[in-house]
């Protein structure tokens, strides 16, 4: 696979992940934040980025995805309780984490293709 094709596939994946991100932002984000309402990290993110374009919802979605993926690291810093993360239903975890990973994968693919072409 050539670097150009990696970049094109990553760009298409990025374009397809945006509607999924917006769907999750407007349908699942508040529910996930309700499960983590005692987490310092999530509450701080909600109030810090509550204003702005889209209300900072994309940043909040990615912050919750990081908490779901690495709860022990956040607990080690006293920012999240692992018990709160474990209470989140599996389907909601997938709805939060999959768009984040798709966006991250597409950005990594575009960066890789850029490094390979230079």
């Amino acid at each position: 696979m050539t670097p150009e094709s990696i970049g094109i596939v990553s760009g298409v994946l990025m374009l397809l992940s945006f509607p999924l991100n917006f769907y999750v932002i407007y349908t699942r984000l508040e529910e996930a934040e309700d499960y983590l309402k005692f987490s310092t990290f999530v509450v701080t993110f909600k109030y810090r980025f509550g204003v702005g374009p889209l209300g900072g919802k994309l940043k909040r979605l990615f912050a919750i995805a990081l908490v779901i993926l690495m709860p022990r690291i956040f607990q080690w810093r006293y920012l999240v309780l692992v018990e709160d993360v474990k209470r989140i239903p599996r389907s909601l975890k997938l709805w939060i984490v999959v768009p984040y990973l798709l966006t991250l994968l597409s950005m990594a693919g575009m960066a890789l293709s850029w490094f390979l072409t230079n």
Side-chain angles (χ1 to χ4, degrees), residues 37-114:
K37 62 185 168 194
F38 299 115
S39 300
T40 308
F41 184 71
V42 173
V43 171
T44 303
F45 242 84
K46 185 174 184 175
Y47 288 110
R48 174 101 170 131
F49 298 108
V51 294
L54 298 175
K57 290 185 177 186
L58 190 61
K59 293 176 189 172
R60 289 167 33 201
L61 174 71
F62 288 172
I64 291 174
L66 283 175
V67 167
I68 290 173
L69 289 173
M70 303 180 291
R72 298 230 186 258
I73 292 174
F74 286 97
Q75 184 180 15
W76 176 63
R77 301 296 297 166
Y78 302 107
L79 298 171
V80 170
L81 297 173
V82 173
E83 294 82 24
D84 289 346
V85 176
K86 287 182 182 178
R87 283 190 339 202
I88 300 173
R90 185 173 176 85
S91 62
L92 182 60
K93 285 182 184 179
L94 288 175
W95 273 110
I96 299 294
V97 171
V98 168
Y100 170 73
L101 291 177
L102 283 175
T103 306
L104 195 65
L105 180 68
S106 64
M107 288 176 13
M110 284 189 267
L112 177 69
S113 69
W114 181 74

Side-chain angles (χ1 to χ4, degrees), residues 13-25 58 62 103:
L13 184 62
M14 176 72 79
L15 289 174
L16 293 176
S17 71
F18 278 141
L20 182 61
N21 283 327
F22 287 124
Y23 174 76
V24 172
I25 282 171
L58 190 61
F62 288 172
T103 306

